[in-house]
Amino acid sequence: MTLADTKGLWFLLSIPIFILMYILKQKVKEEEVSSLYLWKEVIRNNEARRPFDKLRKNILFFIQFLLILLLILSIANPYMSIKGKGEEDLILLIDTSGSMKAVDNKGKSRFELGKDHASDIVKDLSKTTAITLISSGGSNKVEISASRDKGEVLAKIKALEPSNEKGDIGNSYSLLKSLSNEMKTYNIVAISDESIDFKDLKGRVINPSKASNNLALDFISNSQKGENIKAMARIINYGEEDETTDVSLYGDEELIDVKTIGVKKGETKNIYFDDFKGNYNTLWAEISKKDSLDEDDRAYSVFKSKTASKVMLFTDKNIFLEKALSGLKDVEVYKGKDIDDIPKGYDLYIFDGQTPFIINDDINVLFINPDEDTEIFKLSGSYQGQEYRPDNHNITKFMSKSSFVASKYNTLEKPHWGESIFTSDNNTLGFVGMEKGRKIGALGFDLHNTDLPLKPEFPILMNNLVSYMMDRNFMSKRSFYAGEKISLDINSGAKEVKVKTPSSKTIDLDINKGLSILGEEVGVYEVTQRVDEEDIRYNFVVNFPREESNISIKGDGASGITNNEIDIRVSRSIQSYVIIIILLILMFEWFVYTKGEELWGYK
Amino acid sequence: MSEKIFDGDFFKKLEGIALHSSLVMNDGALGGRKSKSKGSSVEFSDFREYVHGDDFRRIDWRAYGRFEKLFIKLFMEEREAFVNIFLDCSKSMGFKEESKGIMALRLSAVFSYIALNNLDRVCINKMVNKEIISSPKYMGRGMFNSLIDFLKETEFKGECELAYSLKRKNISSKGISIIITDGFLKDNLDEAINYLMYRKQKILFLHVLHEEELRPKLNGELTLRDSETDEKVIVSLNGRVIKAYNKRLNSFISHIKDKVKKSGGNYIQINSQDSLDKVIFENFTKEGII
């Protein structure tokens, strides 16, 4: 038994006063009688019964003493442990990942049910238990640390919301370990639909899952040939039963097609939508049948429109470059003759070994082996026989383990808006970037003077480089999963950047503070940038992580207990019981004081 | 204080009592109107028929010769009854604002008045400690005021040894002895009664007790202090103890009553809280005293 309010024990100081009062009370009142003539004989006969009277008096004393002790105990608010031992503090871990949104228990989601369990646990704890609350979604976050305020913890639990993020609760061991090291004794309770390996920690999982059905779309893509578009979506049945459903394909807000598909339990199937036309920004598919988890019933993608791009190449002769460009899909390469007479209307202008005197502000330009400074960038040096490496850039990320050698190259002064893609000894050999709303790229070496073209990565490099150069709003990635940090590719000249979320909420980004957002909502996002009085828009999509679509029960869902068996100390206040005992003893005391005379045979 | 005892109201009552009552004494037994009884003084008074027990030396032979019946001579001395009132003046009689004492004094006055009215002689005897303070012998209504004055000077203090005090009283002839006491005596009451019987007294025992002695309302753990001796005892008063006290009280009263009755006397128990009217017209008339 513990006492929640030890301040009540100060009342023990009143006990000596009580005893003193009792002793003083013994001083009897004096009464004058006319004569003790009759009383003496009575008293003499009564002497024989005095021990019984003393006992009776003492009984009342002890009863009252017991009453005082019980009163003090009730003031101190005693608690009894119903089960469990020791003074364990509690670490409460609540899974907020996407799969917890599954509604598989009488209309309640796993998360809501889990919160109910968590609240029940907290309510039953004693006031002396310190509670640490952690939410675990894409990352683990300590919501409350070692609080003894049950109200605060319950309010925080109530305020928690599930996310669409891919969970990482299985990797919470290190956090739990470090927290438990701070505590003398502890219990860990995790509320999750995932199993957790607590290893040497004393933990328990409460799994609020119930077996349920779930069909999920986890992928959608498209291709285009001429005007005909083809789309493919992938559906997986994570449920316990075979299912049949309709899958609808949309282009932006327009319904394109509907197909009916049967998917067996555990089966993955592809759905094809062939030969449709349209000019869309986004393509998405939706499962019509309702199941336990709605969030994975849609898959989104950014429409890849592939009308052929036109490239104007100014070069003397560069077999490597021409071959690489000719291999690019949907790219038409034209050779220019006079760099001082640059025709308009091309998506990309490549100057190989040549530097035009005047470069228009509105064209994308790739310089290869520039021989002199340009109005856009300057050469900073010339080197020979050096190894160079690709930088960590989307254009060159597939080449990160490679290195190349150039017999001769120029280093470039990378402009402030430029991003380096090749370096050697901290010198920039190649960079890309956006300047005045157009793409600029530069490689400071002649392809003939390097072994780069001989590498298998070369065609991919050229493909990425050219794709980057020709897309004015290039974003390395257009499709993300919920919870990912999304770095937006923004024009250097952008004055305002807004992001519209799938729920039509608008986020104003501060250009100076970094241009990234957390993709929490599933759906299509629209980025609008204000560049030179013009709004440039593009889309990206966020999909539900496929790992969270698998809502099959892990661990012992039936009893809600997995891993190490531990007892949570459920302490209950016995204050009310003590008060009841006090009342009963009061009644008994009254009985002894008044009715005792009758019991002992006199009136 | 004495003014309160014998106030105008008292004397009014006294008149009423005297008008409607008289001490009845029939040849030594209290009861009925006392006739002119004959004594053995020098002055011849009258004859009466001889009854068994009379002094045969008083048989008038001449009357016998004449009437062939036995007669005895009566003398003047016996014509007047001598009433001795023995008043317990111990401190216990002064308990609770002298309630018992007041009743005792008033009763003394009442009986004195009646006796004086009937031309009987009265003597008030105050008993305190081992002493007896006797008044002069009052006779005739004219001396009533002096008697009252004597009563007014009464103080209730000390203890009372009744038998001892009585024996110091010179009781030479038959008479009436009225004992007014609460019975809480230092010595043996039986001895006192026996003595009075020996002295051929007709005893009227007025046992005056206070309401709190008859029905004590004490409760709890108490120290009881004797008003006469200041002796203290600690007692835990509860129902059982009170019951025992009542039993003892009844036994006490019964004993005195039996003793007095056996002596041929009359016993009356009086509650000092009762009114004088009630005492006289109920208690006494019931007993046939008045």
Side-chain angles (χ1 to χ4, degrees):
Chain A
M1 184 179 70
T2 54
L3 303 174
D5 191 358
T6 52
K7 285 195 291 294
L9 294 177
W10 282 106
F11 285 100
L12 285 170
L13 291 174
S14 68
I15 287 180
I17 300 169
F18 163 74
I19 295 170
L20 195 64
M21 280 168 60
Y22 215 88
I23 292 168
L24 290 174
K25 186 181 162 257
Q26 300 296 330
K27 200 175 172 186
V28 295
K29 191 179 158 191
E30 191 175 285
E31 278 281 343
E32 189 190 45
V33 292
S34 58
S35 175
L36 288 174
Y37 186 89
L38 296 175
W39 288 108
K40 277 184 185 173
E41 193 171 318
V42 170
I43 290 162
R44 200 166 38 245
N45 292 339
N46 194 49
E47 277 299 321
R49 295 190 70 90
R50 274 187 74 81
F52 293 101
D53 280 343
K54 276 186 185 168
L55 177 64
R56 175 173 163 266
K57 277 190 294 195
N58 283 338
I59 285 176
L60 288 175
F61 170 77
F62 287 121
I63 288 173
Q64 287 160 5
F65 186 73
L66 180 63
L67 278 170
I68 286 183
L69 284 178
L70 286 173
L71 263 172
I72 292 169
L73 183 65
S74 73
I75 290 169
N77 200 1
Y79 270 73
M80 285 279 288
S81 269
I82 306 299
K83 55 181 178 178
K85 310 124 192 147
E87 299 281 333
E88 295 93 354
D89 290 331
L90 178 69
I91 301 172
L92 187 58
L93 183 65
I94 298 181
D95 188 348
T96 58
S97 65
S99 61
M100 292 292 282
K101 284 189 170 185
V103 176
D104 48 17
N105 196 347
K106 294 174 191 170
K108 254 191 170 174
S109 69
R110 293 176 181 182
F111 188 75
E112 283 164 4
L113 200 60
K115 283 211 292 186
D116 289 346
H117 286 317
S119 297
D120 288 344
I121 289 169
V122 171
K123 279 174 194 167
D124 278 343
L125 292 174
S126 83
K127 287 185 183 179
T128 57
T129 303
I131 307 164
T132 298
L133 177 66
I134 303 169
S135 64
S136 178
S139 60
N140 296 318
K141 180 185 172 192
V142 178
E143 302 282 349
I144 289 178
S145 177
S147 168
R148 286 183 170 81
D149 185 345
K150 277 206 258 184
E152 183 193 9
V153 174
L154 289 169
K156 199 70 185 179
I157 291 172
K158 194 177 172 187
L160 285 177
E161 292 292 336
S163 68
N164 292 318
E165 297 170 3
K166 178 181 150 204
D168 194 28
I169 201 168
N171 289 328
S172 54
Y173 171 80
S174 55
L175 172 63
L176 295 173
K177 179 79 178 171
S178 67
L179 284 172
S180 62
N181 286 342
E182 303 285 317
M183 299 171 183
K184 218 168 151 185
T185 51
Y186 66 92
N187 281 328
I188 301 170
V189 173
I191 295 174
S192 171
D193 55 0
E194 296 288 334
S195 57
I196 301 171
D197 182 10
F198 288 108
K199 293 178 187 159
D200 57 321
L201 299 177
K202 201 164 66 152
R204 164 188 173 180
V205 173
I206 294 177
N207 189 337
S209 312
K210 281 216 160 50
S212 54
N213 296 329
N214 187 34
L215 288 168
L217 284 171
D218 78 334
F219 180 78
I220 182 169
S221 184
N222 70 278
S223 65
Q224 186 170 11
K225 200 167 187 179
E227 285 187 340
N228 291 332
I229 306 168
K230 289 184 189 208
M232 184 205 83
R234 188 165 65 199
I235 187 169
I236 306 174
N237 185 352
Y238 290 108
E240 299 290 313
E241 295 164 3
D242 300 344
E243 300 277 355
T244 300
T245 182
D246 290 338
V247 177
S248 307
L249 178 69
Y250 293 84
D252 295 332
E253 297 303 318
E254 183 187 321
L255 176 64
I256 297 169
D257 197 2
V258 180
K259 286 192 187 289
T260 303
I261 184 163
V263 193
K264 290 193 171 67
K265 165 187 161 184
E267 190 184 11
T268 302
K269 260 192 177 172
N270 293 333
I271 313 160
Y272 297 97
F273 300 87
D274 296 324
D275 297 328
F276 58 91
K277 293 178 176 56
N279 188 17
Y280 307 112
N281 291 319
T282 59
L283 273 181
W284 52 281
E286 182 182 47
I287 294 170
S288 60
K289 190 171 187 175
K290 287 290 171 199
D291 54 26
S292 300
L293 191 60
D294 292 339
E295 279 73 11
D296 59 3
D297 289 349
R298 287 184 179 190
Y300 298 87
S301 70
V302 174
F303 188 76
K304 295 173 199 159
S305 84
K306 284 293 174 269
T307 52
S309 303
K310 293 197 296 185
V311 174
M312 172 59 69
L313 175 64
F314 292 91
T315 184
D316 285 335
K317 200 177 173 70
N318 193 333
I319 191 74
F320 299 120
L321 184 59
E322 289 170 37
K323 200 146 172 85
L325 288 173
S326 68
L328 297 178
K329 262 187 181 176
D330 301 319
V331 171
E332 292 169 0
V333 182
Y334 299 88
K335 280 188 85 168
K337 288 183 180 143
D338 183 1
I339 59 171
D340 293 320
D341 182 21
I342 299 171
K344 290 186 180 163
Y346 289 85
D347 298 303
L348 177 64
Y349 294 83
I350 300 175
F351 297 96
D352 178 31
Q354 301 174 25
T355 313
F357 186 68
I358 296 170
I359 304 166
N360 289 352
D361 286 347
D362 60 350
I363 58 172
N364 299 318
V365 183
L366 173 64
F367 295 91
I368 298 176
N369 191 28
D371 50 4
E372 56 183 13
D373 295 342
T374 70
E375 59 191 44
I376 300 168
F377 64 90
K378 290 182 171 49
L379 306 178
S380 61
S382 182
Y383 295 87
Q384 290 181 356
Q386 288 283 356
E387 188 184 67
Y388 63 96
R389 303 186 74 81
D391 286 317
N392 188 17
H393 194 279
N394 281 328
I395 293 171
T396 53
K397 64 180 178 184
F398 64 95
M399 301 164 72
S400 57
K401 290 187 170 70
S402 307
S403 65
F404 313 96
V405 180
S407 59
K408 196 169 116 177
Y409 62 85
N410 294 323
T411 55
L412 313 171
E413 271 185 26
K414 182 175 64 109
H416 67 91
W417 42 261
E419 295 162 11
S420 181
I421 55 174
F422 289 107
T423 51
S424 175
D425 289 336
N426 295 321
N427 293 318
T428 301
L429 268 70
F431 72 88
V432 295
M434 195 181 282
E435 187 249 2
K436 290 180 185 172
R438 44 83 182 269
K439 290 282 175 67
I440 299 293
L443 296 174
F445 48 84
D446 187 346
L447 290 175
H448 297 99
N449 293 336
T450 172
D451 61 348
L452 178 61
L454 304 176
K455 301 283 184 182
E457 297 97 326
F458 180 67
I460 305 168
L461 168 68
M462 290 313 298
N463 176 63
N464 286 352
L465 185 56
V466 167
S467 297
Y468 171 85
M469 295 302 300
M470 287 196 292
D471 185 351
R472 293 184 73 183
N473 307 299
F474 175 77
M475 197 169 156
S476 56
K477 218 170 135 180
R478 294 295 195 98
S479 180
F480 303 90
Y481 288 105
E484 275 190 66
K485 186 177 173 185
I486 300 164
S487 295
L488 302 177
D489 202 5
I490 300 296
N491 257 302
S492 57
K495 297 282 188 296
E496 278 176 25
V497 179
K498 290 181 201 292
V499 178
K500 189 174 160 191
T501 69
S503 61
S504 300
K505 196 170 73 173
T506 301
I507 304 168
D508 289 306
L509 295 180
D510 186 345
I511 296 169
N512 300 316
K513 283 190 181 171
L515 297 163
S516 62
I517 62 166
L518 204 59
E520 288 175 328
E521 293 178 42
V522 170
V524 179
Y525 290 71
E526 185 183 80
V527 180
T528 306
Q529 348 174 29
R530 190 104 182 131
V531 178
D532 297 331
E533 308 305 319
E534 189 189 336
D535 280 340
I536 303 171
R537 290 187 177 83
Y538 69 87
N539 297 105
F540 66 89
V541 298
V542 173
N543 283 300
F544 191 78
R546 64 171 68 97
E547 294 86 353
E548 296 300 319
S549 292
N550 184 359
I551 60 169
S552 58
I553 298 174
K554 293 112 185 168
D556 188 359
S559 68
I561 306 235
T562 58
N563 286 342
N564 311 326
E565 283 283 341
I566 58 122
D567 290 324
I568 294 176
R569 186 168 74 101
V570 177
S571 296
R572 294 206 185 275
S573 172
I574 57 169
Q575 188 182 51
S576 53
Y577 298 107
V578 173
I579 291 171
I580 290 170
I581 292 170
I582 288 170
L583 289 172
L584 288 171
I585 292 175
L586 270 172
M587 286 164 60
F588 177 68
E589 190 215 9
W590 173 85
F591 180 79
V592 168
Y593 188 72
T594 56
K595 301 293 180 187
E597 296 179 15
E598 287 181 22
L599 285 178
W600 287 337
Y602 56 87
K603 289 184 189 174
Chain B
M1 172 56 172
S2 55
E3 290 78 19
K4 287 183 187 171
I5 303 171
F6 303 114
D7 54 10
D9 191 45
F10 169 77
F11 287 112
K12 236 189 258 176
K13 283 184 185 170
L14 195 59
E15 282 294 332
I17 292 165
L19 209 60
H20 295 101
S21 59
S22 57
L23 270 174
V24 176
M25 187 160 176
N26 186 10
D27 192 28
L30 281 171
R33 177 67 173 92
K34 186 175 86 136
S35 59
K36 287 188 171 30
S37 59
K38 319 299 180 196
S40 55
S41 67
V42 175
E43 190 180 346
F44 170 76
S45 174
D46 203 345
F47 292 97
R48 72 168 168 80
E49 256 192 277
Y50 172 85
V51 293
H52 177 71
D54 284 341
D55 186 357
F56 62 88
R57 291 172 295 177
R58 289 163 60 184
I59 294 174
D60 189 338
W61 297 111
R62 242 197 241 174
Y64 180 70
R66 211 168 150 192
F67 298 105
E68 292 183 357
K69 269 189 183 177
L70 288 171
F71 290 97
I72 57 166
K73 293 176 189 171
L74 298 173
F75 299 92
M76 288 306 291
E77 195 175 293
E78 288 170 327
R79 193 170 46 186
E80 303 144 349
F82 199 100
V83 179
N84 270 307
I85 297 176
F86 295 99
L87 189 58
D88 178 358
C89 294
S90 63
K91 198 167 178 196
S92 62
M93 290 295 287
F95 178 65
K96 288 290 177 185
E97 294 168 358
E98 302 184 347
S99 164
K100 288 190 289 185
I102 292 169
M103 178 59 79
L105 290 172
R106 284 180 173 167
L107 287 171
S108 301
V110 165
F111 283 108
S112 300
Y113 191 77
I114 294 170
L116 289 174
N117 262 352
N118 293 331
L119 301 175
D120 295 322
R121 283 178 289 174
V122 177
C123 180
I124 307 291
N125 304 282
K126 298 178 186 176
M127 294 178 297
V128 60
N129 294 324
K130 289 185 178 180
E131 291 180 11
I132 184 160
I133 304 165
S134 299
S135 69
K137 295 181 181 57
Y138 302 104
M139 191 170 147
R141 281 178 69 172
M143 296 194 82
F144 182 69
N145 285 337
S146 301
L147 186 143
I148 290 293
D149 291 336
F150 181 78
L151 285 173
K152 278 182 183 178
E153 287 163 11
T154 306
E155 279 182 39
F156 297 96
K157 58 182 181 183
E159 297 172 286
C160 178
E161 292 190 47
L162 182 63
Y164 187 88
S165 303
L166 280 175
K167 286 173 185 172
R168 293 181 70 179
K169 171 76 180 175
N170 181 21
I171 305 172
S172 56
S173 57
K174 265 176 154 183
I176 300 169
S177 286
I178 301 175
I179 303 170
I180 308 177
T181 179
D182 55 13
F184 300 136
L185 305 169
K186 202 171 173 191
D187 58 1
N188 198 333
L189 180 69
D190 291 359
E191 201 180 317
I193 302 292
N194 289 341
Y195 176 74
L196 289 174
M197 277 174 62
Y198 172 71
R199 287 294 181 188
K200 293 185 176 41
Q201 299 296 298
K202 307 305 166 193
I203 302 170
L204 173 58
F205 195 100
L206 302 182
H207 195 180
V208 182
L209 290 170
H210 194 277
E211 174 70 23
E212 285 198 21
E213 290 161 347
L214 290 167
R215 281 165 281 276
K217 287 180 173 53
L218 301 170
N219 201 4
E221 188 91 359
L222 293 172
T223 299
L224 301 180
R225 180 169 58 82
D226 190 314
S227 64
E228 289 182 357
T229 62
D230 280 334
E231 187 184 344
K232 294 179 188 178
V233 289
I234 296 173
V235 61
S236 181
L237 286 169
N238 50 40
R240 182 174 45 77
V241 174
I242 297 297
K243 193 178 173 183
Y245 173 85
N246 289 335
K247 192 177 173 184
R248 178 70 186 94
L249 175 70
N250 291 336
S251 164
F252 169 66
I253 292 170
S254 299
H255 172 77
I256 299 173
K257 191 173 182 178
D258 288 344
K259 185 66 186 172
V260 170
K261 290 262 190 232
K262 278 182 185 161
S263 71
N266 292 79
Y267 170 92
I268 300 176
Q269 192 218 309
I270 295 159
N271 186 333
S272 63
Q273 303 291 92
D274 288 341
S275 68
L276 195 62
D277 296 336
K278 183 182 177 219
V279 171
I280 301 296
F281 293 115
E282 280 186 30
N283 297 27
F284 286 1
T285 50
K286 197 158 67 175
E287 283 289 315
I289 303 300
I290 292 177

